[in-house]
Amino acid sequence: MKNNVLKVTFLGTGTSQGVPIIGSDHPVCLSKNPKDKRLRVSVLLEWEDFSYVIDCGPDFRQQMLVNNVQKIDGILFTHEHNDHVIGLDDIRPFYFRQGNISIYSHKRVLESLKQRFQYVFETENKYPGAPTLDTTIIDDLPFLIGNKEVIPMNVYHPELQVYGFRVGDFAYVTDAKIIPDIELEKLKGVKTLVLNALRKEEHRSHLNLNQALDVVDYLKPERAYFTHISHHMGFHDDVQNELPEGVFLAYDNLKIEV
């Protein structure tokens, strides 16, 4: 891998309950194909000496172990739903080795984290085993992670504001139902697009497959990968065979270079 190439690892590609769902006898949940087994949604971005993750849900520890991640320079949060934030405590091994961990989030998301992880944000009599965070509030303006500029964009889930992120020719959007035109413009020219596509049927708070395909058709990236996938989407291999050229169902531990 060239130093400046962005390497993207799909740590998880599933919806909030993961796939298989506990106790489910749905055929996809019973599938033996590893591509049908999906942890909660997250990606790892690596280039040069830098390593960042987008979101850290309940499977964060397992994802770090499976992919042998040795360090993270920071976490970008899309929004505050449990399947995107609740693994925050598992950054402790990184903190013990590296020191403070940087996080980037909307102010609303930071306030939610302070409520859920009060011990992390204590300033007096802080428990010695708790990690310490360096916080950056995202305010819709571009910001830097390492030596790369990140362009945030506002999408809606369906009323809740969620951040998508563009890094050069790569963009990551999850939990979107509505992408305003002004935000779509920020995605123009992107070569590799990651976008949520929950299932084939309509859903009140997520893009379904046809809606995600419409976004891809409008933006015309060189490659598109769908994530945040429910078991209701169907078997990975069957759905992949139905997709147009250059469009892929992402799966856990898939690695691509941008």
Side-chain angles (χ1 to χ4, degrees):
M1 184 180 75
K2 297 177 182 177
N3 273 349
N4 200 36
V5 170
L6 180 65
K7 179 181 173 183
V8 180
T9 302
F10 289 85
L11 300 172
T13 57
T15 187
S16 58
Q17 296 181 79
V19 183
I21 289 178
I22 294 171
S24 174
D25 60 0
H26 188 282
V28 173
C29 290
L30 300 178
S31 171
K32 302 300 183 184
N33 185 346
K35 293 180 181 178
D36 287 321
K37 300 184 186 304
R38 303 181 183 276
L39 300 178
R40 267 59 73 94
V41 68
S42 176
V43 289
L44 171 69
L45 308 180
E46 298 174 288
W47 72 98
E48 296 178 9
D49 241 357
F50 299 105
S51 178
Y52 288 81
V53 293
I54 300 179
D55 291 333
C56 62
D59 302 313
F60 180 74
R61 175 181 175 274
Q62 181 179 353
Q63 292 162 342
M64 296 297 97
L65 290 170
V66 167
N67 289 279
N68 192 30
V69 179
Q70 297 296 308
K71 79 174 185 91
I72 58 169
D73 295 296
I75 304 168
L76 287 67
F77 287 106
T78 59
H79 63 301
E80 66 269 39
H81 282 170
N82 235 38
D83 54 321
H84 297 260
V85 306
I86 208 63
L88 183 61
D89 185 73
D90 284 325
I91 66 169
R92 286 184 294 150
F94 296 115
Y95 167 69
F96 296 151
R97 289 199 303 270
Q98 301 170 212
N100 294 12
I101 304 295
S102 297
I103 66 169
Y104 305 79
S105 72
H106 192 286
K107 182 179 180 180
R108 181 198 73 240
V109 175
L110 180 60
E111 292 306 312
S112 177
L113 293 175
K114 286 179 178 179
Q115 291 179 12
R116 300 187 202 195
F117 299 95
Q118 184 179 2
Y119 62 94
V120 172
F121 296 91
E122 285 286 353
T123 56
E124 297 181 11
N125 301 317
K126 183 174 179 175
Y127 179 67
T132 299
L133 306 175
D134 291 331
T135 61
T136 297
I137 298 297
I138 304 172
D139 56 5
D140 297 355
L141 296 175
F143 60 96
L144 287 177
I145 57 171
N147 56 10
K148 288 189 181 292
E149 181 183 72
V150 180
I151 300 172
M153 64 210 71
N154 295 288
V155 300
Y156 294 89
H157 178 42
E159 293 86 15
L160 180 70
Q161 180 272 351
V162 173
Y163 272 129
F165 301 109
R166 177 172 182 169
V167 183
D169 291 329
F170 171 80
Y172 181 86
V173 178
T174 187
D175 287 62
K177 176 65 175 179
I178 300 166
I179 307 177
D181 290 345
I182 192 170
E183 305 301 319
L184 272 175
E185 289 301 308
K186 298 176 184 178
L187 291 168
K188 284 285 187 70
V190 73
K191 293 181 179 179
T192 302
L193 174 67
V194 179
L195 183 64
N196 62 293
L198 186 74
R199 63 190 193 189
K200 294 179 179 178
E201 296 79 15
E202 176 74 14
H203 191 272
R204 70 169 297 273
S205 59
H206 288 274
L207 295 172
N208 67 8
L209 181 59
N210 284 336
Q211 291 163 340
L213 286 168
D214 286 344
V215 174
V216 171
D217 187 58
Y218 176 76
L219 293 173
K220 293 180 170 51
E222 293 178 2
R223 299 179 295 174
Y225 294 86
F226 293 151
T227 192
H228 208 292
I229 297 164
S230 161
H231 61 296
H232 292 299
M233 178 70 86
F235 293 106
H236 178 279
D237 291 349
D238 291 347
V239 177
Q240 182 61 60
N241 287 335
E242 300 168 1
L243 295 178
E245 185 177 355
V247 180
F248 308 93
L249 279 194
Y251 53 88
D252 289 17
N253 307 314
L254 169 66
K255 299 179 189 299
I256 62 173
E257 292 184 358
V258 180

